[in-house]
Amino acid sequence: QVQLVESGGGLVQAGHSLRLSCAASGRTFSNYRVGWFRQAPGKEREFVAAISRSGITTYYADSVKGRFIISRDNAKNTVYLQMNSLKPEDTAVYYCATSSVIATDPLSYDYWGQGTQVTVSS
């Protein structure tokens, strides 16, 4: 069992930045790949970014590539999502999740946090 808690969401203006954190407890966090997903009202949950167990390999959705950076600190059992140049279309609830594989399909992820709201005003 892994427990995940996201934090760092909030209301920001377009063009500004936020850093989300995903803190884990339970089983050895470094054994898991971690992904960030987001879900806007009325839309399906979509992949944002993922990171390998070591943190060396990262993957991004095209919509955030070049603006968002995923990283992890296994000593702190935490994964981060640095979000720069935010746009109104980035508004959503952001979730982190763990998986035994790197994947973009949310069905491949086992444990999920409760989510944190990000709202970007124009």
Side-chain angles (χ1 to χ4, degrees):
Q1 189 83 5
V2 176
Q3 293 79 41
L4 303 172
V5 178
E6 301 96 335
S7 62
L11 172 63
V12 295
Q13 290 185 326
H16 288 213
S17 299
L18 277 177
R19 188 177 80 157
L20 305 183
S21 297
C22 172
S25 60
R27 292 185 176 178
T28 305
F29 186 57
S30 58
N31 288 343
Y32 294 92
R33 288 80 172 176
V34 177
W36 282 98
F37 291 79
R38 66 187 181 186
Q39 188 165 19
K43 296 188 176 181
E44 293 186 353
R45 191 166 298 189
E46 67 171 352
F47 171 78
V48 175
I51 190 165
S52 62
R53 292 175 296 179
S54 66
I56 292 175
T57 304
T58 57
Y59 300 86
Y60 297 94
D62 288 343
S63 59
V64 306
K65 201 172 295 182
R67 298 188 298 123
F68 290 12
I69 301 171
I70 188 172
S71 62
R72 69 189 297 164
D73 185 340
N74 286 335
K76 295 182 177 180
N77 288 346
T78 303
V79 169
Y80 305 97
L81 185 68
Q82 178 67 42
M83 306 187 295
N84 301 319
S85 303
L86 283 161
K87 304 175 180 180
E89 50 264 43
D90 294 318
T91 295
V93 177
Y94 283 71
Y95 301 89
C96 63
T98 60
S99 175
S100 58
V101 297
I102 284 283
T104 60
D105 185 348
L107 294 177
S108 297
Y109 288 77
D110 305 306
Y111 300 106
W112 292 80
Q114 83 290 346
T116 186
Q117 176 71 46
V118 172
T119 303
V120 184
S121 63
S122 58

